[in-house]
Amino acid sequence: MERVLQKMRPSTASIQALILALVVAGAASQVTGQAGTGQTVIQKATEQFENNPLKTTVLGQGLFMFSGDGGDVVTAIVDNGSTLIIDSGVDTRVTELSDAIFKAAMRPVTRLVNTHWHFDHTGGNVFFGSEGVTIIGQENVKKRLSSVQRVPFVGLRDGHYPLQALPTITYSSSTTLHQGPQQLTLMNYGPAHTDGDTVVYVSPANVAVVGDIFSNHFYPIIDLASGGSIDGMIHSLDEILARTDEQTKIVPGHGPVATRANLEEYRDMLV
Ligand SMILES: [Zn+2]
């Protein structure tokens, strides 16, 4: 137990620093009433992520996970000629991310799925979109990225991405993609972390990429301003638990790869 706690400490410290940065930025904006708050918050959060090196984790069957300690997680699924990625990280790290993906996959990225609209999951959309990568997301991701968004509790102001950074393929409740031998089932279970979350089940690899519905070792964030809901988080987690087994690798929105048991613990904590 002690060893587990010690292992958790660096991640917990990073996210606490990040949350503190977000809260401080939010409070400062309320005092000064500045309009450019979002930029400050994003810069502060980005600095937190930038201080940690990008790690590549091999998940097997052509799947890779890229993450910084404390940062966002990007998943790649490789077939004979192309790479499909899930989420695109923060914009300032996109070149490093793109290099890491190519080093591991040796195939060009042709498709990108966004798990939700937040900047630390869509920051690379401009880069990949400009390269001609097809972007796929739940319909509310496109809506939120198309206009300015405000998330008052963290002082976040973002959205209104350029056209090439927006999803061109959207879905409402579920859709299916294929990447080589892997089938990807994209599911939205209604409002959870936001109103546009996607859970990706990859089969036969038996991997579930769940975005920020599950932050492993991180304090849960429910973005009420973007239509999120705690009951919805619990509902989504129940759906994920029902569709996975003890062997499923769970890729969280932040933190290391987890098991179904970790997800269950997180769900019980939220309840
Ligand atoms: Zn998020």
Side-chain angles (χ1 to χ4, degrees):
M1 188 61 185
E2 181 58 25
R3 205 174 305 152
V4 171
L5 283 173
Q6 274 171 2
K7 263 179 89 176
M8 283 172 69
R9 218 164 272 148
S11 298
T12 310
S14 330
I15 197 64
Q16 278 171 351
L18 170 60
I19 288 168
L20 189 65
L22 295 173
V23 170
V24 167
S29 78
Q30 278 165 14
V31 172
T32 58
Q34 280 174 357
T37 311
Q39 200 54 38
T40 312
V41 170
I42 292 164
Q43 278 168 354
K44 280 179 189 289
T46 302
E47 277 165 24
Q48 292 288 332
F49 296 152
E50 274 177 343
N51 290 331
N52 299 298
L54 208 60
K55 274 181 231 152
T56 303
T57 307
V58 178
L59 298 174
Q61 297 194 33
L63 273 76
F64 300 88
M65 179 177 139
F66 305 90
S67 59
D69 184 20
D72 42 298
V73 169
V74 172
T75 308
I77 303 159
V78 183
D79 75 3
N80 287 337
S82 69
T83 304
L84 179 151
I85 58 172
I86 303 171
D87 284 337
S88 62
V90 291
D91 62 348
T92 51
R93 289 195 86 162
V94 72
T95 313
E96 187 189 352
L97 172 69
S98 171
D99 290 350
I101 292 170
F102 195 77
K103 213 173 134 191
M106 302 294 284
R107 310 281 189 283
V109 175
T110 56
R111 288 183 289 177
L112 158 62
V113 175
N114 288 137
T115 60
H116 61 293
W117 77 271
H118 285 157
F119 72 96
D120 50 335
H121 299 261
T122 58
N125 277 28
V126 176
F127 174 90
F128 289 111
S130 304
E131 304 260 294
V133 171
T134 303
I135 303 175
I136 302 151
Q138 204 273 347
E139 57 194 14
N140 289 330
V141 171
K142 185 172 187 174
K143 245 181 246 173
R144 292 198 178 275
L145 288 181
S146 306
S147 57
V148 173
Q149 300 295 318
R150 286 168 191 278
V151 185
F153 106 97
V154 289
L156 177 63
R157 201 168 161 275
D158 199 10
H160 206 24
Y161 280 35
L163 212 59
Q164 72 268 25
L166 301 177
T168 52
I169 298 176
T170 61
Y171 77 97
S172 173
S173 58
S174 79
T175 191
T176 305
L177 305 171
H178 291 90
Q179 176 70 357
Q182 304 297 335
Q183 176 172 301
L184 282 66
T185 308
L186 281 57
M187 298 290 303
N188 170 270
Y189 297 118
H193 172 66
T194 67
D195 63 2
D197 303 305
T198 290
V199 176
V200 185
Y201 299 99
V202 188
S203 168
N206 198 8
V207 170
V209 182
V210 303
D212 281 359
I213 292 171
F214 174 44
S215 301
N216 193 14
H217 295 181
F218 287 43
Y219 196 82
I221 292 180
I222 303 160
D223 183 353
L224 301 180
S226 300
S229 132
I230 184 158
D231 290 340
M233 287 271 277
I234 295 163
H235 168 69
S236 286
L237 288 164
D238 281 338
E239 294 283 352
I240 298 164
L241 287 169
R243 209 178 162 131
T244 49
D245 58 40
E246 298 307 319
Q247 276 71 50
T248 308
K249 289 174 182 158
I250 310 275
V251 177
H254 297 268
V257 66
T259 63
R260 187 177 177 278
N262 299 140
L263 193 83
E264 199 163 15
E265 244 172 67
Y266 188 81
R267 180 247 180 225
D268 291 346
M269 179 271 294
L270 278 184
V271 170

